């Protein structure tokens, strides 16, 4: 027969088809077995887990296997090469029933009745084969107050013979669809339950109102009862199950030659690799402090230039200090009638240069201007900010992107004035005098990857446009979820926080797959080891991006962007997520499509790492 399946739970393997015969082995939940033949209510099987393989007999009800889905209405091939499902599984059963009593085309496909091709007659003809099954099932959902909830997918499950499911937390199977009824037994997350397709809705239950009828055979005892539907998800039986040590099989699951994201490609990342730092995310971000843009002259006051030139010392002896103020150290002395050159004024203090080429500061009350000198050719006029906060834009217009801000009282040099004389070009944060700084930027790397830009532009915009950004960068602090959202907003990328319901798993494989297929990306907080490997229970916290998933059983494999090494990797689902705790997704992001245009994607083997852990 060559049917491959998996044991639903702990299962006895008997020496013969007689359930009273000797037990020769006990299969674990999810163990793979191959069916060799049938013997009444028993399957003759061979265990694939043990070497050499062990052969014997198990009850048919203890084996989970692929259930072929009954195709009621064949798919329609469209002219553009796509296929159309004429009766999708999420269609409400009551809407389909109403259509059966009309003569027109499907209203859920052609709302205006203007159908480009005719389907109705063909669909009704195909439906006749299943009409009796439909009548019986539809009468049942009417009796059970399910009209506003039952879908065609529920009916498809019934006529196909059920569906394999798993529960992401241990829970009881009840005799009736209510917690007030008798408990028949327990199901664990490793067990595979068989959903018959029957559904009940219990209005009296305080929380879990929707219930599925399930069957579970454990140690050859079959339990049939009702289970909380909100805790169940489809168990995906893989045609080829990839184990965690099968590196070739893992690599074949994903096309790692094409990146799902545009990986940041700052030159500083290459420098970090050359310098062999412990992670590529530790980069020099000195350039992040440099920014040039335009600010509105309406909210600034021009500061008249101070007279610069030659000064004569009036005092008998005058201290020359290292800075403008008495708190600065004394670096020399000036004496009466000495001539010095002054080139800058700060309050009542003048920066002076002596004949010996020593530069320092003295109080202007003890100096007399004897000769004014013309300003140097590269001198810029200064302006003082008069408003609480003044935005800096990329161009001389408020429609240009905001890239920074100035605060009240700040004095800034003007580089140029726009032709309409309403905007001033300014430069802030030139970086002179700053030491080279290197930060842990895992959050900024993730934002850059989903926005399709480099890291330095992200840090620069955030640093100059947000007080929080400046505090985090200057203080070498880690980023929190609201920091990520603030950075994403700077690039007009929408995001929303993920808040799991109490007692419901934060991120199941099916939920994750559906969201990723809708075009979103997940930024999650996870643990990371000192070697840069991801693990939900590691003590060091780390941001990363989930880009793809291949489901297998009650788990699967996920493709992630690991900002620690600035590369995409593959991990077991359960290495990243723990469905039994609050570990899970932090942000869903409407990430733009990867165009691979800006700076290009680093096409190195680093983008094809397989972490089989």
């Amino acid at each position: 027969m060559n049917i491959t399946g998996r044991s639903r739970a702990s299962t006895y393997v008997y020496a013969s088809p007689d359930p009273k015969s000797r037990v020769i082995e006990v299969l674990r939940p999810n163990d793979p077995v191959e069916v060799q033949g049938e013997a009444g209510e028993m399957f003759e099987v061979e265990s694939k887990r043990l070497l050499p393989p062990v052969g014997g007999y198990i009850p048919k009800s203890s084996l989970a296997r692929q259930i072929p889905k009954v195709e009621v209405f064949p798919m329609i091939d469209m002219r553009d090469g796509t296929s159309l499902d004429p009766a999708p599984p999420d269609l409400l059963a009551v809407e389909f029933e109403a259509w059966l009593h009309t003569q027109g085309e499907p209203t859920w496909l052609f709302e205006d009745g203007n159908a480009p091709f005719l389907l109705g007659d063909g669909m009704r003809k195909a439906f006749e084969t299943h009409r009796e099954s439909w009548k019986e099932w539809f009468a049942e959902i009417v009796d059970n107050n399910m009209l506003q909830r039952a879908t065609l997918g529920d009916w498809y499950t019934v006529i196909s013979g059920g569906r394999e499911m798993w529960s992401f937390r241990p829970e009881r199977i009840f005799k009736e669809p209510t917690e007030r009824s008798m408990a028949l037994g327990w199901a664990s997350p490793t067990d595979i339950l068989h959903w018959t397709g029957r559904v009940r809705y219990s209005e009296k239950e305080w929380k879990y109102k929707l219930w599925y009828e399930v069957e579970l055979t454990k140690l050859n005892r079959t339990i049939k009862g009702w289970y909380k539907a909100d805790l169940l998800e489809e168990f995906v039986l893989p045609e080829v199950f990839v184990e965690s040590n099968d590196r070739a099989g893992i690599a074949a699951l994903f096309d790692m030659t094409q990146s799902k994201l545009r990986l940041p490609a700052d030159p500083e990342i290459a420098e970090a690799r050359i310098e062999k730092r412990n992670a590529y995310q530790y980069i020099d971000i000195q350039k992040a402090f440099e920014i040039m843009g335009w600010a509105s002259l309406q909210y600034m006051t021009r500061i008249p230039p101070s007279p610069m030139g030659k000064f004569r010392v009036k005092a008998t002896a005058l201290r020359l200090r290292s800075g403008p103020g008495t708190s600065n150290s004394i670096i020399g002395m000036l004496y009466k009638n000495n001539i010095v050159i002054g080139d800058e004024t700060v309050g009542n203090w003048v920066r002076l240069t002596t004949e010996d080429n020593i530069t320092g500061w003295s109080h202007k009350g003890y100096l007399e201007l004897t000769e004014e000198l013309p300003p140097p050719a590269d001198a810029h006029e200064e302006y003082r900010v008069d408003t609480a906060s003044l935005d800096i834009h990329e161009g001389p217009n408020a429609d240009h992107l905001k890239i920074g801000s100035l605060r009240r009282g700040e004095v800034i040099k003007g580089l140029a004035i726009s032709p309409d004389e309403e905007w001033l070009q300014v430069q802030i944060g030139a970086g002179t005098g700053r030491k080279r700084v290197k930060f842990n930027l895992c959050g900024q790397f993730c934002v850059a990857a989903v926005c399709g830009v480099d890291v330095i532009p992200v840090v620069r915009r955030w640093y100059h446009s947000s007080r929080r950004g400046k505090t985090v960068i200057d203080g070498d602090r880690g980023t929190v979820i609201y920091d990520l959202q603030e950075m994403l907003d700077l690039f007009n990328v929408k995001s929303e926080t993920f808040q799991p319901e109490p007692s419901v798993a934060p991120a199941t494989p099916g939920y994750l797959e559906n969201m990723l297929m809708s075009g979103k990306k997940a930024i999650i907080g996870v643990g990371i080891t000192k070697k840069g490997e991801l693990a939900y229970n590691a003590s060091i916290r780390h941001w990363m991006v989930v880009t793809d998933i291949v489901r297998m059983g009650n788990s699967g494999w996920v493709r992630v962007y690991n900002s620690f090494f600035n590369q995409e990797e593959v991990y077991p689902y359960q290495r990243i997520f723990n469905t039994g705790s609050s570990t899970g997704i932090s942000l869903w992001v409407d990430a733009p499509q990867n165009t691979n245009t800006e700076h290009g994607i680093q096409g190195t083997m680093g983008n094809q790492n397989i972490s089989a852990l």
Side-chain angles (χ1 to χ4, degrees):
M1 295 182 65
N2 199 28
I3 299 174
T4 301
R6 294 195 167 254
S7 58
R8 294 195 184 281
S10 300
T11 302
Y12 292 139
V13 180
Y14 296 97
S16 75
D18 184 356
K20 295 181 180 180
S21 62
R22 180 171 55 92
V23 175
I24 59 175
E25 182 59 76
V26 179
L27 299 178
R28 301 174 303 185
N30 275 284
D31 272 354
V33 295
E34 188 173 283
V35 177
Q36 307 295 317
E38 292 185 65
E41 294 301 315
M42 291 284 195
F43 276 137
E44 182 182 1
V45 299
E46 187 176 79
S47 170
K48 308 299 289 185
R49 175 177 63 89
L50 303 173
L51 291 176
V54 173
Y57 295 85
I58 63 173
K60 290 181 177 179
S61 59
S62 64
L63 184 69
R65 55 193 187 280
Q66 293 288 357
I67 300 174
K69 296 181 180 179
V70 174
E71 187 179 75
V72 180
F73 308 105
M75 299 290 285
I76 302 167
D77 295 328
M78 308 296 287
R79 293 179 180 177
D80 61 0
T82 61
S83 297
L84 174 68
D85 188 347
D90 59 354
L91 180 66
L92 282 175
V94 66
E95 186 175 352
F96 182 78
E97 172 69 12
W99 172 76
L100 287 176
H101 298 284
T102 67
Q103 298 299 319
E105 296 299 316
T107 54
W108 54 90
L109 296 179
F110 313 110
E111 294 182 2
D112 57 0
N114 185 19
F117 45 82
L118 301 179
L119 290 177
D121 291 345
M123 289 180 63
R124 289 184 176 86
K125 183 177 180 181
F127 177 75
E128 285 302 318
T129 306
H130 305 278
R131 179 173 291 276
E132 292 304 316
S133 170
W134 171 267
K135 288 174 62 178
E136 181 181 347
W137 178 78
F138 191 78
E140 185 176 347
I141 69 169
V142 171
D143 293 340
N144 287 285
N145 194 27
M146 289 287 296
L147 280 178
Q148 300 305 316
R149 298 171 182 84
T151 65
L152 288 188
D154 298 337
W155 179 54
Y156 293 155
T157 300
V158 172
I159 62 177
S160 296
R163 189 184 302 174
E164 307 298 4
M165 310 291 285
W166 69 284
S167 173
F168 39 80
R169 82 171 196 206
E171 184 53 272
R172 293 160 293 175
I173 300 175
F174 292 91
K175 185 176 182 180
E176 301 295 337
T178 171
E179 286 189 299
R180 291 185 292 273
S181 66
M182 182 176 66
L184 303 177
W186 282 85
S188 73
T190 57
D191 294 336
I192 307 174
L193 297 99
H194 181 77
W195 174 36
T196 65
R198 296 181 66 198
V199 184
R200 289 286 187 274
Y201 183 79
S202 180
E203 187 67 50
K204 296 181 180 180
E205 291 299 299
W206 73 278
K207 181 176 182 180
Y208 295 99
K209 299 180 182 297
L210 200 65
W211 295 76
Y212 283 175
E213 184 186 52
V214 299
E215 294 178 344
L216 176 64
T217 298
K218 182 179 293 191
L219 293 176
N220 301 347
R221 171 177 173 258
T222 299
I223 303 171
K224 186 173 184 178
W226 295 89
Y227 206 84
K228 300 169 181 176
D230 291 337
L231 302 183
L232 290 172
E233 186 170 279
E234 184 173 7
F235 186 95
V236 179
L237 281 159
E239 294 181 4
V240 178
F241 199 89
V242 179
E243 303 292 354
S244 60
N245 59 351
D246 183 2
R247 297 180 64 86
I250 299 166
L253 296 175
F254 302 92
D255 180 9
M256 300 299 288
T257 62
Q258 295 294 323
S259 177
K260 288 282 187 178
L261 299 170
R262 178 204 172 278
L263 305 188
D266 306 73
E268 290 76 13
I269 298 174
E271 293 175 8
R273 292 179 176 180
I274 294 172
E275 294 179 19
K276 297 182 180 179
R277 298 180 199 153
N278 61 330
Y280 303 146
Q281 68 186 24
Y282 287 88
I283 65 174
D284 177 9
I285 60 168
Q286 187 177 17
K287 293 181 180 179
F289 301 102
E290 304 171 356
I291 185 170
M292 183 179 293
W294 296 80
S296 174
L297 277 168
Q298 180 182 353
Y299 303 101
M300 290 187 287
T301 299
R302 177 177 173 271
I303 301 174
S306 302
M308 295 291 103
K310 294 182 179 180
F311 290 83
R312 182 180 66 84
V313 178
K314 297 190 296 181
T316 302
L318 179 63
R319 297 179 180 89
L320 190 67
R321 297 182 179 273
S322 61
T326 56
S327 60
N328 293 286
S329 61
I330 299 172
I331 60 174
M333 296 295 294
L334 300 174
Y335 299 98
K336 191 171 185 176
N337 294 326
N338 280 165
I339 301 298
V340 290
I341 304 297
D343 60 2
E344 184 178 348
T345 300
V346 175
N348 292 322
W349 293 80
V350 182
R351 188 172 71 170
L352 305 171
T353 302
T354 69
E355 291 180 351
D356 299 330
N357 207 31
I358 298 173
T359 300
W361 296 77
S362 293
H363 196 281
K364 70 179 181 180
Y366 302 98
L367 299 169
E368 178 185 0
L369 179 65
T370 61
E371 181 183 352
E372 286 194 24
L373 299 176
D378 60 349
H380 299 291
E381 292 188 331
E382 292 185 334
Y383 295 80
R384 180 180 291 106
V385 178
D386 297 328
T387 186
S389 179
L390 180 59
D391 293 340
I392 300 176
H393 298 266
E394 283 188 337
N397 191 299
D399 293 335
H400 286 275
L401 182 69
K402 175 187 172 183
I403 56 176
S405 64
L406 299 168
R407 296 183 178 88
R408 186 190 299 275
E410 283 195 63
V411 176
I412 196 76
K413 291 181 178 179
L415 305 180
I417 295 179
S418 63
D420 60 8
E421 299 184 350
E422 292 184 0
W423 291 80
L424 180 72
Q425 188 180 41
V426 299
Q427 180 175 343
I428 60 176
T432 57
R434 285 186 179 272
K435 63 182 180 180
R436 290 173 64 87
V437 287
K438 302 169 182 66
F439 294 88
N440 179 343
L441 302 168
C442 65
Q444 291 87 335
F445 264 74
C446 288
V447 170
V450 298
C451 292
V453 297
D454 285 339
V455 173
I456 296 298
V458 173
V459 176
R460 178 185 294 121
R461 288 188 188 179
W462 192 41
Y463 183 86
H464 291 292
S465 64
S466 165
R467 181 171 297 182
R468 168 69 183 174
K470 192 174 189 306
T471 300
V472 169
I473 297 298
D474 286 344
D476 194 13
R477 300 180 183 179
T479 49
V480 298
I481 187 170
Y482 305 109
D483 296 330
L484 302 183
Q485 288 188 295
E486 193 172 61
M487 285 185 275
L488 290 167
D489 288 342
L490 293 174
F491 293 87
N492 298 317
V493 174
K494 295 181 179 179
S495 64
E496 59 181 330
T497 56
F498 177 79
Q499 297 178 334
E501 273 188 65
S503 76
V504 176
T508 62
Y511 169 76
L512 185 63
E513 181 182 51
N514 290 336
M515 294 295 284
L516 293 173
M517 289 180 64
S518 72
K520 295 182 182 294
K521 299 290 186 291
I523 298 181
I524 79 167
V526 71
I528 190 171
T529 68
K530 292 181 179 180
K531 294 181 179 180
E533 299 167 345
L534 305 179
Y536 77 85
N537 58 354
S539 59
I540 305 172
R541 305 318 293 167
H542 183 67
W543 292 113
M544 70 161 196
V545 184
V546 181
T547 61
D548 202 1
I549 182 172
V550 173
R551 292 173 61 193
M552 290 187 178
N554 58 0
S555 181
W557 294 89
V558 288
R559 177 174 177 166
V560 303
Y561 166 69
N562 183 355
S563 57
F564 191 86
F565 292 120
N566 189 38
Q567 66 185 10
E568 289 189 294
E569 303 170 348
V570 175
Y571 283 88
Y573 170 87
Q574 291 172 333
R575 183 70 186 255
I576 305 298
F577 296 100
N578 177 16
T579 55
S581 73
S582 59
T583 304
I585 297 164
S586 298
L587 277 179
W588 281 115
V589 181
D590 294 332
Q593 293 297 316
N594 176 18
T595 57
N596 299 349
T597 54
E598 186 179 352
H599 301 292
I601 287 183
Q602 299 172 345
T604 67
M605 288 303 292
N607 296 342
Q608 304 175 37
N609 187 40
I610 302 296
S611 297
L613 304 171

